[in-house]
Amino acid sequence: MENTVLHKANTRGHANHGWLNAYHSFSFASWYHPERVQFGMLRVLNDDTIAAGMGFGTHPHDNMEIITIPLEGDLAHKDSMGNESTIKTGDVQVMSAGTGIQHSEFNPNADLQTKLFQIWLFPKYRNVTPRYQQITLDVAKQKNDFAQILSPNAEDEGVWIYQDAWFHLADFNAGFSKTYEIKKAGNGLYVFVISGTISVNSQELETRDGFGIWNLQNLEVTATTDAKFLLMEIPMDQ
């Protein structure tokens, strides 16, 4: 199809550091793919598994919107803004790094691994004051619907970021179909399958596949099996 890009799960970058088993949908760290640097303003989509008791030491970020979605287990967070918290499965966390922050993340459990998505978007504005937000989602809203978990608006459902992006989590029963309407003209959509199999505008996608599409007004998603997925509406340029 025109105006689409397909990233099959087995084409992702992969780095197993022992304590961290990471899959990269876009170029990251030592894995570089010239055709997979970003999708619009979406720069990083990492699918990470952190071993029990392990984690990322204190490290810096700036001018990036960083979204963390735990899938299994817990993640303890500490940052230079004074935040100390633990995010759990069913939560979503965002940091606007802005002028610069330092933070650490680790798995606080001695006998359980932690699985999560970490997603980076380029911000709409540079050098904003750093900010942190964390919420617990109502996962029931994801059943056969697009449940909004992120937007540009503080008053909307979910967390907010400095970018004209909208994220939705969905949990569809096999055979269920729903159409998503683009919220801002010119935005593209990137769909990432958490589990199961779906069809997006007739493109079949399996677990951990990613699919980007742009120059459209709406998109139809049909679950061919019970399926969970993340749908990200992303500006294609600033």
Side-chain angles (χ1 to χ4, degrees):
M1 287 185 284
E2 292 185 3
N3 305 320
T4 65
V5 61
L6 175 63
H7 298 149
K8 296 295 289 181
N10 62 2
T11 68
R12 296 178 296 169
H14 180 221
N16 191 340
H17 303 285
W19 67 272
L20 171 68
N21 189 18
Y23 289 87
H24 313 305
S25 293
F26 300 96
S27 296
F28 189 83
S30 61
W31 185 69
Y32 176 74
H33 190 304
E35 296 179 1
R36 292 173 66 166
V37 175
Q38 64 193 89
F39 176 79
M41 295 297 101
L42 174 60
R43 174 60 189 88
V44 167
L45 173 51
N46 287 347
D47 183 359
D48 292 345
T49 301
I50 303 173
M54 305 300 287
F56 301 90
T58 302
H59 59 281
H61 294 282
D62 68 83
N63 288 307
M64 196 67 71
E65 302 295 300
I66 301 168
I67 301 100
T68 302
I69 304 173
L71 303 173
E72 180 182 309
D74 308 325
L75 188 71
H77 166 96
K78 186 175 182 179
D79 65 44
S80 54
M81 295 178 280
N83 298 298
E84 288 191 49
S85 63
T86 299
I87 54 173
K88 301 176 179 293
T89 306
D91 293 349
V92 60
Q93 176 205 76
V94 65
M95 289 189 299
S96 298
T99 53
I101 59 166
Q102 296 201 26
H103 78 134
S104 62
E105 303 163 293
F106 72 97
N107 178 354
N109 299 309
D111 55 352
L112 298 171
Q113 64 184 9
T114 296
K115 294 185 178 183
L116 59 97
F117 294 150
Q118 186 161 107
I119 302 164
W120 298 4
L121 271 70
F122 292 112
K124 189 174 183 178
Y125 310 107
R126 290 184 60 82
N127 297 322
V128 300
T129 300
R131 60 175 292 270
Y132 177 90
Q133 187 183 8
Q134 171 187 337
I135 64 169
T136 297
L137 303 171
D138 181 355
V139 295
K141 293 183 177 180
Q142 300 169 21
K143 197 59 173 177
N144 292 330
D145 204 356
F146 304 119
Q148 182 174 293
I149 66 165
L150 174 147
S151 80
N153 307 308
E155 65 273 16
D156 278 2
E157 192 161 12
V159 294
W160 67 274
I161 62 170
Y162 289 105
Q163 188 52 273
D164 294 327
W166 287 262
F167 285 15
H168 296 77
L169 281 169
D171 179 2
F172 281 13
N173 290 337
F176 184 80
S177 182
K178 191 173 178 68
T179 299
Y180 178 87
E181 301 285 343
I182 289 285
K183 298 185 184 298
K184 184 176 180 181
N187 278 2
L189 292 170
Y190 194 87
V191 183
F192 191 80
V193 184
I194 300 170
S195 62
T197 305
I198 62 175
S199 174
V200 178
N201 282 13
S202 301
Q203 173 66 58
E204 290 292 325
L205 301 175
E206 299 173 310
T207 299
R208 272 15 189 215
D209 287 353
F211 180 63
I213 185 168
W214 60 98
N215 290 348
L216 77 166
Q217 294 181 324
N218 57 58
L219 167 145
E220 184 176 29
V221 182
T222 302
T224 46
T225 69
D226 290 349
K228 296 181 180 181
F229 59 93
L230 176 63
L231 190 155
M232 296 172 279
E233 179 177 336
I234 307 284
M236 297 309 289
D237 52 44
Q238 288 287 37

